[in-house]
Amino acid sequence: MTDPARFWDRIADKYARSPVGDEAAYRRKLEETQQRLEPGMRVLEVGCGTGSTAIEHAPHVQHIHATDLSPRMIEIGREKARKAGAANIDFEAASLAEVAARGTRYDAVLALSLLHLVDDLDEALASIHGLLEPGGLFVSNTACLADGMNWLRPVLAVGRWIGKVPPVRFLGGDGLVEHVQRTGFEIEHEYRPGKGRVVFLIARRGEAGR
């Protein structure tokens, strides 16, 4: 079986060199997010990878705490931020559960290309909800492979067994939206680029919280 941290460590350098698959969609997601960011915000990004998106958002907020399971991803992210002059980002190799256990709250949480990789979706969403201040911003971008790509299930199962891929959840876009809403988030924006197998959501934790 694949250990997720080791898997991402192994591919981190190649991942850092890979271009964005859909640059226009990526830029649209950045713009939609930045329209809602404010200079005084404290932001958490979970599953930050090599920090590219954190660096894009850094000029628009007070501080970003960028976390990832992979120490190598974090190492690359620190160097990229240093070169970009993004001094308001701090990087940490940590899981969502480890960060949530500290009880710190943020004005925004980003979970980009993450929710289809978690062991327990409801637990992950509950942790993110708890990490946010009332009214806080939640931004997610999720591969929804159940929407037309179920043929990948046996391929990924074999790949996981031999250590070539991490565990992957087969989510449907509509089901994902229901999970997010059931956790107590109010969705402000939904975008499904291309064939709709990726769902980008911007949501808020209710002001009263839950």
Side-chain angles (χ1 to χ4, degrees), residues 14-99:
K14 180 179 179 181
Y15 179 89
R17 295 190 299 268
S18 301
V20 174
D22 186 338
E23 183 70 24
Y26 179 63
R27 290 291 152 189
R28 175 171 170 178
K29 294 168 193 176
L30 290 176
E31 182 180 353
E32 290 286 353
T33 304
Q34 288 168 5
Q35 287 176 2
R36 295 164 172 84
L37 297 179
E38 298 176 6
M41 278 186 165
R42 296 163 294 108
V43 178
L44 169 69
E45 183 176 2
V46 288
C48 69
T50 60
S52 296
T53 299
I55 292 167
E56 291 278 356
H57 290 322
H60 303 272
V61 300
Q62 177 181 318
H63 182 262
I64 300 179
H65 183 50
T67 69
D68 197 278
L69 285 176
S70 163
R72 179 57 184 155
M73 291 277 192
I74 291 300
E75 183 181 354
I76 295 170
R78 285 193 183 112
E79 180 61 16
K80 287 169 64 174
R82 185 190 67 78
K83 290 180 178 178
N88 62 332
I89 307 175
D90 72 87
F91 290 87
E92 180 190 16
S95 68
L96 171 58
E98 288 170 330
V99 176

Side-chain angles (χ1 to χ4, degrees), residues 105 129 132-136 183-184 186 204-210:
R105 285 194 173 184
H129 189 273
L132 282 166
E133 297 284 2
T183 305
E186 300 167 3
R204 298 267 179 191
R205 172 175 169 158
E207 289 289 347
R210 240 181 35 176

Side-chain angles (χ1 to χ4, degrees), residues 12 21 113:
S113 299

Side-chain angles (χ1 to χ4, degrees), residues 72-143:
R72 179 57 184 155
M73 291 277 192
I74 291 300
E75 183 181 354
I76 295 170
R78 285 193 183 112
E79 180 61 16
K80 287 169 64 174
R82 185 190 67 78
K83 290 180 178 178
N88 62 332
I89 307 175
D90 72 87
F91 290 87
E92 180 190 16
S95 68
L96 171 58
E98 288 170 330
V99 176
R102 297 169 191 162
T104 304
R105 285 194 173 184
Y106 298 85
D107 302 302
V109 174
L110 312 181
L112 308 174
S113 299
L114 178 74
L115 296 180
H116 60 290
L117 300 174
V118 300
D119 292 331
D120 187 320
L121 179 60
D122 288 327
E123 181 180 327
L125 288 170
S127 293
I128 291 167
H129 189 273
L131 282 161
L132 282 166
E133 297 284 2
L137 190 70
F138 172 42
V139 181
S140 64
N141 187 70
T142 309

